[in-house]
């Protein structure tokens, strides 16, 4: 079996703040079907190491990892092969993986450079149990220095790949940090690690990894453009030959209405049973009577996600019979804006600020439609959960949203192929019009049921995409 070391800052079922964790957690299972043995390396955030239980084995040690001792504990958690980088001076602290209530941790550059350093060292030297990867697969800026450490250190035949989950997060830090982060000074050039006078861990990966992927074909194209590339479009264009857009899948073991323990089960055939979830959800949120579609939104509340466009559309949407349930957290001004809408119209709009995995399942099951009005969306998972649950997605036609939802145009409806509603460009008018179409389509039960069933039958699991990763790893092998 070939071996691959996946390096990331979050992973389901250990720790999740967004879609990155879903993807990192699902890949090992999916790749095993293609003969790839994947282990996932994560920081040992508080409480994680004990979850290894009796499977824990010390597999790597670093006497001095950026200011303190470190070791790697390997083992299994809920069937997943994990490696936890235990470095108390970096990871044993209160708060989330990136910061606490006062903001991001000030030493995040060191915290994730250390993860990347340890990853590169383990890849080059192998682990205590003899396991040595052929490929190092880094995810996002947090693992961005790993391909650079591999490239700039002693020669090795281990190949590296970086996956861009979101180019908006670049891991930028001061130029003066080169030395502290153990990077060779001569690499601080516009063709190397420099990014507009700063040091960027994401750019480090983009210039040193053997291959680059992002999480949808449309985003792979968008990234080359000035309006989406966020300053990295030039670097990416230079490496266009090795940039691949591989669409995320979803973990259907965790996300399937037929077998989801958080909901009343239903299937494409027995869609009637979805109504129980709808009624329970309306009850849980205390909404009043309404005739139109129940839209749900489960999201980070940020401008990336287009949340600021929603308030201006709500009076018409609710007047036409719709209702909206929101679960999310993020920008305080957007949280307040959503709460204000709920105050103004409590029988039609309800908002929960926070993060709640079980509630998200109940919302995907009970909603009629899921809103994803993103300005940019590398892949997006909530529209796919919506499709899987017969909860019709209403999305901005960008990135992975564009690749996963078939808009209900007259032609797509006539062909019986539509799975959702897509609008472009991402602005208030576009969203308002999309919500008008939602109300109209929902009113036509025959068309609506067809759209629901189409979405539920769409191939959204990892079968195809994991094959693409495996094929890409194979092209890197000597
Ligand atoms: P991103 O990673 O950019 O936030 P994705 O759509 O890829 O967007 O993934 C978001 C993931 O986080 C999904 O699994 C979604 O269900 C989940 N999620 C987002 N906000 C919440 C929340 N407040 N409570 C529970 N789950 C959430
Ligand atoms: C990022 C992106 C999101 C994508 C997820 C998993 O968080 O914002 O679009 O689905 O990563 O790849």
């Amino acid at each position: 079996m070939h071996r691959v070391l996946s390096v990331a800052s979050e992973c389901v079922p250990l720790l999740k703040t967004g879609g990155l964790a879903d993807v990192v957690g699902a890949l090992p299972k999916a790749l095993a079907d293609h003969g790839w043995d994947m282990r996932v390396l994560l920081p040992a955030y508080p409480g994680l190491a004990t979850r290894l239980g009796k499977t824990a084995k010390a597999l790597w040690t670093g006497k001095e990892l950026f200011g303190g001792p470190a070791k790697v504990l390997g083992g299994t958690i809920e069937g997943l092969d994990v490696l936890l980088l235990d470095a108390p001076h970096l990871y044993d602290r209160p708060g989330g993986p990136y910061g606490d209530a006062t903001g991001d941790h000030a030493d995040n550059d060191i915290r994730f450079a250390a993860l990347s350093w340890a990853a590169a060292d383990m890849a080059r030297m192998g682990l205590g149990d003899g396991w040595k990867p052929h490929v190092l697969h880094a995810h996002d800026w947090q693992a961005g220095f790993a391909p650079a450490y591999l490239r700039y250190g002693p020669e090795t035949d281990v190949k590296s790949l970086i996956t861009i989950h979101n180019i908006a997060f670049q891991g930028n830090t001061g130029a003066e940090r080169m030395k502290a982060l153990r990077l060779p000074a001569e690499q601080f050039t516009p063709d190397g690690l420099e990014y507009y006078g700063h040091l960027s861990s994401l750019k480090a990966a983009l210039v040193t990894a053997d291959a680059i992927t992002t999480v949808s074909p449309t985003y792979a194209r968008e990234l080359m453009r000035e309006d989406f590339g966020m300053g990295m479009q030039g670097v990416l264009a230079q490496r266009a030959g090795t940039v691949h857009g591989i669409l995320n899948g979803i973990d259907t073991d965790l996300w399937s209405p037929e077998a989801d323990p958080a909901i009343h089960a239903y299937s494409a055939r027995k869609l009637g049973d979805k109504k129980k979830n709808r009624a329970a959800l309306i009850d849980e949120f205390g909404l009043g009577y309404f005739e139109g579609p129940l839209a749900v939104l489960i999201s980070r509340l940020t401008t990336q996600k287009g949340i600021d466009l929603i308030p201006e559309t709500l009076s018409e949407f609710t007047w036409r019979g719709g209702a909206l349930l929101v679960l999310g957290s993020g920008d305080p001004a957007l949280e307040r804006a959503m709460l204000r809408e709920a105050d103004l119209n409590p029988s039609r709009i309800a908002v929960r600020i926070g993060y709640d995995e079980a509630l998200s399942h109940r919302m995907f099951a009970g909603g009629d439609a899921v809103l994803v009005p993103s300005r940019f969306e590398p892949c997006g998972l909530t529209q796919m959960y919506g499709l899987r649950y017969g909860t019709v997605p209403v999305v901005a036609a960008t990135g992975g949203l564009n690749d996963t939802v078939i808009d209900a145009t007259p032609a797509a409806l006539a062909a019986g192929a539509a799975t959702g509603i897509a609008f472009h460009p991402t602005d208030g008018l576009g969203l308002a019009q999309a919500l008008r179409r939602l109300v109209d389509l929902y009113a036509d039960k025959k068309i609506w049921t067809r759209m629901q069933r189409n979405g539920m039958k769409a191939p959204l699991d990892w079968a195809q995409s994991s094959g693409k990763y495996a094929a890409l790893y194979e092209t890197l092998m000597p």
Side-chain angles (χ1 to χ4, degrees), residues 2-354:
H2 297 317
R3 293 174 295 276
V4 54
L5 175 64
S6 175
V7 189
S9 57
E10 43 185 277
C11 173
V12 165
L14 281 74
L15 178 121
K16 164 171 166 180
T17 74
L20 170 66
D22 290 304
V23 172
V24 172
L27 273 176
K29 243 186 313 192
L31 278 158
D33 297 340
H34 300 278
W36 280 85
D37 171 19
M38 180 181 263
R39 292 188 182 179
V40 184
L41 173 69
L42 286 194
Y45 302 115
L48 290 190
T50 55
R51 291 177 62 187
L52 292 168
K54 284 192 188 135
T55 69
K57 274 196 204 112
L59 296 179
W60 179 90
T61 47
K63 273 200 204 96
E64 207 289 315
L65 186 70
F66 296 92
K71 63 176 186 292
V72 164
L73 293 171
T76 55
I77 297 180
E78 296 183 36
L80 199 70
D81 271 330
V82 292
L83 300 166
L84 298 176
L85 178 61
D86 184 19
H89 61 297
L90 300 172
Y91 310 123
D92 187 13
R93 53 179 82 169
Y98 313 117
D100 56 26
T102 65
D104 281 356
H105 296 306
D107 57 348
N108 273 348
D109 57 355
I110 290 268
R111 294 174 73 234
F112 293 107
L115 177 73
S116 304
W117 179 275
D121 191 71
M122 282 182 257
R124 188 182 283 116
M125 309 303 292
L127 294 173
D129 60 356
W131 193 90
K132 184 177 181 303
H134 301 89
V135 176
L136 183 159
H137 185 162
H139 297 272
D140 268 355
W141 72 267
Q142 294 91 346
F145 284 131
Y149 292 135
L150 269 186
R151 171 99 10 168
Y152 302 141
E155 182 141 348
T156 170
D157 55 3
V158 179
K159 301 296 185 200
S160 66
L161 180 149
I162 175 78
T163 295
I164 307 166
H165 293 265
N166 191 338
I167 204 134
F169 303 107
Q170 306 181 332
N172 295 331
T173 187
E176 75 289 350
R177 305 289 286 158
M178 286 287 289
K179 192 162 175 216
L181 300 182
R182 304 182 184 171
L183 293 159
E186 70 275 11
Q187 298 299 340
F188 193 75
T189 65
D191 287 340
L193 310 187
E194 193 219 296
Y195 175 75
Y196 297 103
H198 295 275
L199 166 62
S200 158
S201 61
L202 182 63
K203 188 177 171 201
L206 299 183
V207 296
T208 58
D210 294 295
I212 300 170
T213 69
T214 188
V215 288
S216 69
T218 296
Y219 196 58
R221 289 191 299 274
E222 288 172 341
L223 279 180
M224 310 276 175
R225 288 168 31 187
E226 207 174 306
D227 49 344
F228 284 94
M230 306 215 177
M232 300 286 180
Q233 61 275 13
V235 186
L236 284 161
Q238 267 173 23
R239 301 213 60 199
T242 76
V243 178
H244 307 264
I246 303 180
L247 193 67
N248 286 335
I250 62 173
D251 186 338
T252 47
D253 290 345
L254 301 177
W255 296 96
S256 282
E258 298 84 357
D260 184 335
I263 66 165
H264 301 285
Y266 61 95
S267 64
R269 265 209 237 134
K270 290 188 72 185
L271 258 178
D273 289 348
K274 182 172 165 64
K275 293 205 178 83
K276 291 184 197 151
N277 294 289
R278 187 181 194 270
L281 193 63
I282 289 173
D283 199 41
E284 178 174 357
F285 277 87
L287 295 183
Y289 174 79
F290 59 98
E291 276 185 4
L294 175 61
V296 297
L297 174 94
I298 296 111
S299 180
R300 291 188 283 122
L301 302 181
T302 64
T303 50
Q304 175 197 336
K305 301 289 182 183
I307 305 303
D308 50 307
L309 304 175
I310 293 174
E312 62 187 285
T313 64
L314 286 181
S315 52
E316 183 188 338
F317 179 58
T318 51
W319 176 77
R320 298 192 68 207
L324 173 69
L325 299 177
V326 175
L327 168 63
S329 64
D331 178 343
L334 293 174
E335 292 182 354
R336 281 195 300 275
M338 296 314 300
L339 287 167
R340 201 161 44 234
E341 293 301 319
D343 274 350
L344 288 173
N345 194 351
S347 66
R348 294 292 181 85
I349 301 170
V351 174
R352 294 275 184 282
I353 300 298

Side-chain angles (χ1 to χ4, degrees), residues 303 305-317 371 373-375 394-396 423-437:
T303 50
K305 301 289 182 183
I307 305 303
D308 50 307
L309 304 175
I310 293 174
E312 62 187 285
T313 64
L314 286 181
S315 52
E316 183 188 338
F317 179 58
L371 302 190
S374 308
R375 288 197 167 76
V394 178
V395 306
F423 63 96
H424 181 80
T426 307
D427 58 20
L429 272 179
L431 177 60
Q433 236 164 33
L435 291 174
R436 260 173 237 146
R437 292 168 64 206

